[in-house]
Amino acid sequence: MRMHKKRIARYGTALICAFGVALSSMPVHAEDIESLENKTSNLQDQLDGINQDMVEISDKIAETEAQIEESNNEVFRLEASLQISRNNEEKQYENMKSRIKYMYENGSESMISMLFSADSMADLLNKADFVQNVTEYDRDMLENLVEVREGIETQEDDLKKQQQELADLKEQLNSEQAELQAKADATSTDLATFNAQLQAARDAKAKEEEAAKQKAAEASKNTTTSSNKNNSSSGSTNSGSNSSSNNSGNNSSNNNSGTNHGNYVIPSGGLTPSKGRIWFNGHSETYYSQKVLPGGGLAIPGRHIASDGTIRDKDNYIVVASDDYPKGTVVQTSLGAGKVYDSGSGKGNIDLYTDW
């Protein structure tokens, strides 16, 4: 009985030691994974913010272009009005010169004849007043036309200044948009790099867990064999129990971080052919297969099929479709970083292009 208890104690101690040795190196990878997850999360937040800023600047550029177009139309209208005003001014000036010339050449005799032809003092005053009114009318009309022309010219100058200000604003917005695009590209590159490192760390952790399980199973097997040699009868019973336990450990060790689907290994926890729709990072995910929708018109540079069966571009971004982000936007999916090449996925949903 005491020997049986000693064997059990030795078996338990060996098993504990095996697990202790196997797990001793895991915290390093856990810390690495947590750090990388924080970095990718922060970069994704930055990228989302940059994309939102780019949408706002695009709206401002469109609004400025509309104002410039409206200003151009107003300048055309003022130029037409200014030409009409100048023509009227010139015509009135010519008419006034003709009347002055006539009055100068025939003024004295005509004036005296008209005044002496008056029937009464009232008629004489009316005729004299008429001559004065004609002169004042010409002067007033000319002054009014000059004032109208100068007012139109002032409006035109103000409008052209406004056009220049709008053009400067558009140039500034285009410059800011270019800077944001460069920042988005750099952030996307960093995000893809950290995602690759994160996936590598997860793969390393999965391998270490697998190795730990195998060591534990091996330690269990060795302890069981030693016990069988000391007590064949008791060992036979324990062997059956240990064999069952060992088989269970081996079955458990066969699980890995991915699932085989045909020729592709898809990371667990993400979208798979059997999970036609999942929720990830605040949106739903679905997939569309190139076996059904070839997608020849998407113009994907460097198009290829990744080991997980996703269709990717030259920068290894997953090709996705989204109605929430403009084309070219980098988004995070459950299978890694993706870039929007298409639309029609529905609001709040992202379609992953696959070969499943």
Side-chain angles (χ1 to χ4, degrees):
M1 185 58 122
R2 282 194 301 238
M3 290 296 293
H4 181 63
K5 289 182 179 180
K6 287 182 180 180
R7 283 195 297 270
I8 294 176
R10 285 197 301 269
Y11 173 77
T13 301
L15 192 59
I16 292 171
C17 290
F19 272 108
V21 172
L23 294 175
S24 61
S25 61
M26 285 187 181
V28 175
H29 291 292
E31 291 175 1
D32 291 343
I33 290 174
E34 183 178 0
S35 175
L36 288 170
E37 286 176 343
N38 290 334
K39 289 179 180 178
T40 55
S41 177
N42 291 336
L43 285 172
Q44 185 61 55
D45 291 341
Q46 292 178 24
L47 187 59
D48 291 341
I50 293 171
N51 288 332
Q52 182 61 38
D53 290 341
M54 290 182 66
V55 170
E56 292 176 0
I57 283 187
S58 296
D59 292 340
K60 289 181 181 178
I61 290 175
E63 181 180 351
T64 303
E65 289 175 343
Q67 291 178 352
I68 291 175
E69 181 66 22
E70 182 180 351
S71 180
N72 287 336
N73 294 335
E74 186 65 17
V75 168
F76 293 150
R77 186 189 68 79
L78 286 176
E79 287 177 345
S81 299
L82 184 59
Q83 187 60 46
I84 294 173
S85 177
R86 286 170 177 165
N87 292 339
N88 290 339
E89 181 184 343
E90 184 177 352
K91 183 178 180 181
Q92 179 65 25
Y93 181 63
E94 292 297 328
N95 291 338
M96 186 181 71
K97 286 196 301 182
S98 297
R99 280 192 287 271
I100 292 173
K101 180 180 178 183
Y102 176 81
M103 291 175 66
Y104 176 75
E105 293 175 350
N106 305 288
S108 298
E109 296 179 2
S110 298
M111 288 284 292
I112 293 172
S113 299
M114 184 178 66
L115 292 176
F116 277 111
S117 65
D119 297 332
S120 62
M121 181 59 70
D123 188 25
L124 177 63
L125 294 174
N126 286 336
K127 288 180 178 180
D129 188 55
F130 170 76
V131 173
Q132 183 179 0
N133 287 339
V134 169
T135 304
E136 290 180 353
Y137 171 79
D138 284 335
R139 185 174 63 251
D140 292 342
M141 282 293 295
L142 184 60
E143 290 176 353
N144 181 62
L145 289 171
V146 170
E147 184 179 349
V148 171
R149 173 178 56 79
E150 290 177 348
I152 294 175
E153 288 176 345
T154 300
Q155 292 182 42
E156 186 179 31
D157 290 341
D158 293 342
L159 203 55
K160 286 182 177 179
K161 289 180 181 178
Q162 181 183 356
Q163 279 185 311
Q164 185 60 48
E165 291 174 357
L166 289 172
D168 293 341
L169 176 60
K170 182 183 177 183
E171 183 177 355
Q172 178 185 348
L173 290 173
N174 285 335
S175 177
E176 292 179 5
Q177 186 182 46
E179 290 178 1
L180 282 174
Q181 184 61 56
K183 189 175 180 180
D185 293 341
T187 304
S188 298
T189 300
D190 292 341
L191 182 60
T193 300
F194 282 118
N195 274 325
Q197 294 176 1
L198 177 59
Q199 186 60 47
R202 286 173 174 169
D203 292 343
K205 181 180 179 182
K207 289 180 180 179
E208 288 189 356
E209 290 176 345
E210 180 68 17
K213 291 177 182 178
Q214 291 178 354
K215 287 181 180 179
E218 186 65 26
S220 173
K221 182 178 180 181
N222 291 338
T223 303
T224 302
T225 302
S226 176
S227 298
N228 287 340
K229 289 180 179 180
N230 292 329
N231 193 325
S232 60
S233 176
S234 177
S236 176
T237 303
N238 290 335
S239 175
S241 174
N242 289 334
S243 176
S244 174
S245 175
N246 191 38
N247 288 337
S248 174
N250 287 335
N251 288 336
S252 174
S253 67
N254 287 332
N255 295 327
N256 52 39
S257 60
T259 305
N260 289 322
H261 290 272
N263 296 326
Y264 304 124
V265 178
I266 304 173
S268 60
L271 188 67
T272 66
S274 59
K275 297 178 183 177
R277 186 183 187 91
I278 68 169
W279 286 95
F280 177 80
N281 199 22
H283 59 259
S284 62
E285 284 185 2
T286 54
Y287 71 89
Y288 60 112
S289 173
Q290 69 171 357
K291 295 178 180 178
V292 179
L293 299 171
L298 295 182
I300 305 168
R303 171 175 171 166
H304 64 281
I305 303 174
S307 60
D308 58 4
T310 55
I311 306 300
R312 303 191 178 223
D313 63 9
K314 64 182 181 63
D315 297 320
N316 211 36
Y317 287 123
I318 302 172
V319 177
V320 302
S322 173
D323 291 338
D324 299 311
Y325 302 99
K327 291 182 179 179
T329 302
V330 174
V331 296
Q332 190 64 24
T333 75
S334 64
L335 298 181
K339 181 178 286 188
V340 178
Y341 279 90
D342 201 1
S343 58
S345 63
K347 291 289 185 180
N349 182 68
I350 292 180
D351 264 343
L352 279 66
Y353 198 21
T354 70
D355 189 53
W356 300 340

